[in-house]
């Protein structure tokens, strides 16, 4: 009893973590299910069929590759635009800074459905055809703010004296930027890009409003919740989870190894 | 943070030489060139759409005849009187989910920040990793977890939990799925990482020596938490609750997948008005009311909590 009271925080924290991981485990387990009907909600029997044939469902892998493409372009666009804004905001004093800060903050302080609906009214009024391009425009827009925040945090913690030192050693502005500024800002930019990719790839609400008849992966999953969920969805979900964990863990290992070797030198 | 990219020869105070002056003008323009593309993007695809939506909300007409701006402000009143239950539900569900997120997320953030030791990075990975499995897939998994006659329902039933929640009107009979509780559970689950991460960031910044100092001054651990840790974590609490409440109030996925027709939130109404009923003025008005409600609540809350350094 005393042990429980002393470790109350640890127990409560781990229970929360279990709550957060539980659906992932269910997704994993049900990727080995052989459902009886159209829906994969109740356990029937063990089978690896879905894993052997992950693209066996019509249109699913097409929507997956479309989502990957959109996420890739939205990441490139928002990372580029967002990093530029972040540098300008941290490194320079200029008028309209406050206004620009709130313009960047607002998309994050707005329920997604409001942004989604307003974009749709814009596209409807302009008579734009809903599809790949409208999704890409929308994703780049809402990822932008998150990139700015991630890059800003990193640039803020940078020591400006490092760049001064580079210039004292007669490095030109371009050289200073490429060889000093960019490498130091890189982790922030990478974090921003990863966040943008994850947000874009997973976005449902904004895509739902602005996709027309185009089906991204989240749209496919949404549709399948009405029509019938193939087991392959769980296969993709499991694969995504495993890949994400592997990527993050390898990234951690590389950065910790780099730190160690830097200490040794 | 001053202009740091000036070449070493350029004098920082008011330049006198005309050549240097020209250069400094160009230099002054650099931030604007950096900002231009991104800000333009936000103005065209974030601010301008709001204007279009404002204009849509005061239009009348039909899809066949086309819509015209008639300054029909009545739409707002009609929308509000017709859909106020959904509005109330949104605030109620999102508010409950936010409180639950805070109660559940705080111990986890505390655990990662102070007690995890070398497990810290692994725990952080486990908090972030679910992000990468499509949240729709994970929300669908809750259908399995909360299914009628499933283990969760059985256990909650046998301990009498469902009797209590039924009495409170949060569940119905022996069911969890398609009840308000299921929707709140889904919302809590979906937005927990948005609570845990800011909480963790602000807790991690606290100097552990402050805890020792409190202990040296004979504070019990509960007193230390109340007087030292919690006040210092306020920025995390404020940004965490905002990051949870705002998206939760506009969400319609949880209400759709885990709820029933009696649990529709305002997001569901906006979605169906825009995409199924095609009544654009009503949908636009609803969306604006939601935005106003959220912005007002957020402003009041930030004033009360007294934290300005949010972003």
């Amino acid at each position: 009893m005393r042990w429980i009271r002393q470790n109350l925080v640890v127990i409560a924290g781990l229970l929360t973590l279990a709550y957060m991981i539980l659906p992932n485990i269910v997704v994993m387990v049900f990727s080995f299910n052989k459902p009886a009907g159209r829906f994969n909600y109740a356990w029937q029997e063990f089978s690896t069929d879905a894993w052997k044939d992950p693209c066996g469902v019509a249109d699913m892998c097409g929507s997956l590759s479309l989502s990957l493409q959109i996420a890739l372009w939205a990441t490139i666009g928002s990372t580029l635009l967002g990093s530029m804004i972040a540098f300008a905001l941290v490194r320079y004093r200029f008028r309209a800074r406050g206004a620009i800060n709130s313009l960047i903050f607002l998309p994050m302080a707005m329920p997604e459905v409001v942004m989604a609906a307003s974009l749709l009214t814009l596209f409807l009024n302009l008579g734009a055809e809903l599809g790949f391009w409208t999704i890409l425009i929308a994703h780049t827009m809402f990822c932008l703010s998150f990139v700015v925040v991630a890059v800003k945090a990193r640039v803020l913690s940078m020591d400006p004296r490092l760049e001064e030192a580079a210039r004292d050693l007669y490095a030109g502005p371009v050289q200073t930027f490429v060889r000093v500024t960019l490498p130091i800002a890189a982790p922030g930019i990478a974090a921003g890009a990863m966040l943008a990719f994850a947000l874009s790839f997973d976005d449902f609400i904004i895509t739902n409003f602005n996709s027309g008849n185009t089906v991204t992966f989240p749209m496919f999953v949404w549709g399948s919740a009405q029509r019938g969920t193939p087991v392959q969805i769980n296969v993709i979900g499991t694969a995504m989870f495993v890949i994400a964990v592997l990527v993050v863990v390898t990234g951690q290992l590389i950065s910790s190894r780099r730190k160690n070797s830097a200490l040794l030198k | 943070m001053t202009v740091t990219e000036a070449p070493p020869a350029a004098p920082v105070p008011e330049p006198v030489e005309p050549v240097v002056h020209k250069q400094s003008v160009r230099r002054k323009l650099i931030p604007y060139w950096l900002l231009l593309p991104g800000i333009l993007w936000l103005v065209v695809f974030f601010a301008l759409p709001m204007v279009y939506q404002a204009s849509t909300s005061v239009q009348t007409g039909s899809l066949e005849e086309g819509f015209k701006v008639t300054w029909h402000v009545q739409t707002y009143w009609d929308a509000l009187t017709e859909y106020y239950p959904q509005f109330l539900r949104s605030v109620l569900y999102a508010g409950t989910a936010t409180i639950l997120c805070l109660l559940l997320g705080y111990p986890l953030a505390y655990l990662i920040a102070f007690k995890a030791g070398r497990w810290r990075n692994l725990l952080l990975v486990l908090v972030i990793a679910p992000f990468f499995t499509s949240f729709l897939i994970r929300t669908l998994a809750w259908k399995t977890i909360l299914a009628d006659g499933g283990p969760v329902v059985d256990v909650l039933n046998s301990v009498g939990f469902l009797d209590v929640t039924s009495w409170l009107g949060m569940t119905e009979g022996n069911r969890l799925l398609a009840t308000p509780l299921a929707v709140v559970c889904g919302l809590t689950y979906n937005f927990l990482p948005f609570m845990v991460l800011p909480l963790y960031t602000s807790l991690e910044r606290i100097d552990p020596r402050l805890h020792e100092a409190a202990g040296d001054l004979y504070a019990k651990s509960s007193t230390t938490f109340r007087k030292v840790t919690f006040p210092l974590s306020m920025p995390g609490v404020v940004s965490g609750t905002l990051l949870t409440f705002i998206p939760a109030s506009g969400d319609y996925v949880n209400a759709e997948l885990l709820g029933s027709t009696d649990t529709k939130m305002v997001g569901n109404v906006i979605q169906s008005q825009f995409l199924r009923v095609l009544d654009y003025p009503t949908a636009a008005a609803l969306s604006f009311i939601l935005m106003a409600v959220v912005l007002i609540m957020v402003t009041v809350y930030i004033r009360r909590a007294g934290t300005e350094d949010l972003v």
Side-chain angles (χ1 to χ4, degrees):
Chain A
M1 224 33 221
R2 202 158 151 217
W3 181 84
I4 291 182
R5 213 185 318 149
Q6 272 168 352
N7 293 290
L8 204 60
V9 179
V10 179
I11 295 166
L14 289 177
L15 281 176
T16 304
L17 199 63
Y19 176 61
M20 290 172 84
I21 301 292
L22 182 65
N24 287 78
I25 295 168
V26 171
V27 169
M28 219 175 270
V29 169
F30 275 77
S31 73
F32 294 104
N33 189 19
K34 192 173 190 172
R38 285 184 302 145
F39 292 95
N40 183 22
Y41 294 142
W43 182 258
Q44 302 293 333
E45 61 177 296
F46 183 85
S47 143
T48 50
D49 291 353
W51 280 92
K52 284 180 198 144
D53 184 22
C55 281
V57 192
D59 303 331
M60 189 184 73
C61 283
S63 71
L64 195 62
S65 101
L66 180 70
S67 273
L68 287 171
Q69 283 172 42
I70 289 173
L72 188 69
W73 291 116
T75 303
I76 293 173
S78 60
T79 307
L80 212 67
L81 300 176
S83 304
M84 282 161 70
I85 294 178
F87 267 97
L89 283 176
V90 176
R91 283 308 169 82
Y92 299 90
R93 302 272 127 191
F94 49 87
R95 256 181 269 169
R97 243 171 134 259
I100 284 169
N101 263 323
S102 21
L103 183 63
I104 286 155
F105 176 68
L106 268 176
M108 293 187 290
M110 188 103 10
E112 246 188 296
V113 69
V114 176
M115 275 195 285
S118 67
L119 256 175
L120 179 61
T121 60
L122 174 84
F123 291 141
L124 285 175
N125 275 293
L126 298 181
E129 197 187 323
L130 298 177
F132 182 87
W133 290 104
T134 51
I135 302 174
L136 185 57
I137 285 171
H139 283 202
T140 309
M141 185 273 289
F142 81 82
C143 291
L144 194 57
S145 304
F146 291 91
V147 174
V148 173
V149 172
V151 179
K152 229 172 104 178
R154 180 74 190 180
V155 180
L156 265 174
S157 68
M158 267 167 73
D159 190 343
R161 282 174 300 183
L162 290 171
E163 287 162 315
E164 283 163 30
R167 275 189 301 275
D168 287 348
L169 296 166
Y170 296 105
V174 175
Q175 216 180 353
T176 310
F177 182 76
V178 173
R179 306 200 55 173
V180 179
T181 317
L182 208 55
I184 305 177
I189 296 174
M194 262 175 78
L195 192 61
F197 189 88
L199 286 171
S200 162
F201 186 77
D202 206 15
D203 178 75
F204 173 71
I205 294 183
I206 288 184
T207 316
N208 186 213
F209 274 77
N210 295 294
S211 62
N213 294 321
T214 312
V215 180
T216 63
F217 185 63
M219 298 292 301
F220 180 85
V221 178
W222 175 257
S224 80
Q226 267 99 42
R227 281 180 275 107
T229 43
V231 188
Q232 275 81 351
I233 282 181
N234 293 50
V235 173
I236 304 294
T238 310
M240 270 153 63
F241 181 68
V242 172
I243 292 171
V245 171
L246 283 180
V247 167
V248 179
V249 170
T250 351
Q252 291 273 349
L253 284 178
I254 290 172
S255 71
S256 72
R257 189 161 297 168
R258 232 184 241 159
K259 249 183 232 156
N260 288 340
S261 65
L263 282 175
L264 285 174
K265 265 176 205 166
Chain B
M1 227 54 54
T2 46
V3 181
T4 48
E5 290 194 14
V12 181
E14 286 299 302
V16 196
E17 295 279 323
V19 186
V20 181
H21 183 71
K22 204 189 222 167
Q23 204 187 13
S24 88
V25 167
R26 217 173 65 193
R27 201 141 268 299
K28 269 190 186 152
L29 284 175
I30 290 180
Y32 296 103
W33 284 117
L34 283 173
L35 290 167
L36 189 69
I39 295 302
L40 209 61
W41 198 279
L42 281 181
V43 168
V44 176
F45 298 118
F46 176 74
L48 191 63
M50 293 293 166
V51 178
Y52 271 101
Q53 196 171 20
S55 114
T56 305
S57 71
V58 289
Q59 289 174 350
T60 42
S62 66
L63 204 59
E64 293 80 35
E65 296 159 20
F67 291 94
K68 273 202 200 82
V69 178
T70 50
W71 297 106
H72 191 262
V73 194
Q74 182 76 27
T75 312
Y76 278 87
W77 182 246
D78 294 344
L80 204 54
T81 45
E82 191 172 351
Y83 295 109
Y84 77 92
Q86 283 87 342
F87 268 108
L88 285 180
R89 227 175 265 148
S90 293
V91 173
L92 189 69
Y93 290 0
T96 316
T98 307
I99 294 166
L100 284 173
C101 275
L102 186 62
L103 293 176
L104 292 172
Y106 209 104
L108 180 58
Y110 192 94
L111 167 71
I112 303 176
F114 296 123
K115 309 236 164 178
R118 60 202 192 87
W119 299 103
R120 180 188 275 198
N121 283 338
L122 178 73
L123 291 183
L124 276 175
V125 170
L126 287 178
V127 171
I128 299 166
F131 263 114
F132 287 84
T133 306
S134 176
F135 92 102
L136 280 172
I137 301 183
R138 287 181 284 126
T139 310
L140 284 176
W142 278 104
K143 274 190 124 143
T144 308
I145 300 169
L146 303 175
D148 296 342
V152 175
V153 171
D154 283 349
V155 169
L156 290 180
N157 220 354
S158 61
V159 296
F161 180 82
L162 290 185
D163 295 333
V164 179
T165 50
S166 298
W167 182 72
L168 287 170
M170 288 163 75
T171 54
E172 271 164 53
N174 292 337
R175 296 200 75 190
L176 259 181
L177 211 58
T179 64
L181 189 66
V183 179
V184 171
C185 167
L187 287 170
T188 310
Y189 164 76
N190 268 314
F191 298 108
L192 247 174
F194 297 93
M195 180 66 87
V196 174
L197 292 176
L199 278 178
Y200 163 73
T201 322
S202 68
L203 282 171
E204 192 224 29
R205 279 194 205 132
I206 299 174
D207 192 335
R209 281 174 298 182
L210 288 173
H211 292 157
E212 286 166 29
D216 289 347
L217 296 167
Y218 297 106
K220 280 191 293 182
S221 53
S222 58
T223 319
T224 309
F225 178 77
R226 209 158 32 85
K227 299 238 168 173
V228 181
T229 316
F230 190 73
L232 284 173
S233 70
M234 266 320 268
V237 174
V238 173
S239 51
T241 41
L242 289 178
L243 282 174
T244 315
F245 180 79
I246 296 170
S249 65
D251 179 85
Y252 56 82
V253 174
N254 287 285
E256 178 83 33
L257 294 182
L258 304 174
S260 66
T261 43
D262 297 331
T263 61
K264 292 262 185 275
M265 294 165 69
V266 68
N268 300 78
V269 182
I270 297 177
Q271 192 247 12
S272 76
Q273 292 287 325
F274 251 120
L275 302 178
R276 275 185 237 146
V277 186
L278 305 178
D279 179 357
Y280 298 130
T282 304
L286 280 168
S287 159
F288 260 121
I289 298 171
L290 173 66
M291 184 174 92
V293 169
V294 167
L295 283 182
I296 290 168
M297 289 179 77
V298 166
T299 324
V300 171
Y301 178 65
I302 293 178
R303 284 267 166 79
R304 275 280 170 86
T307 12
E308 257 108 50
D309 48 14
L310 273 176
V311 200

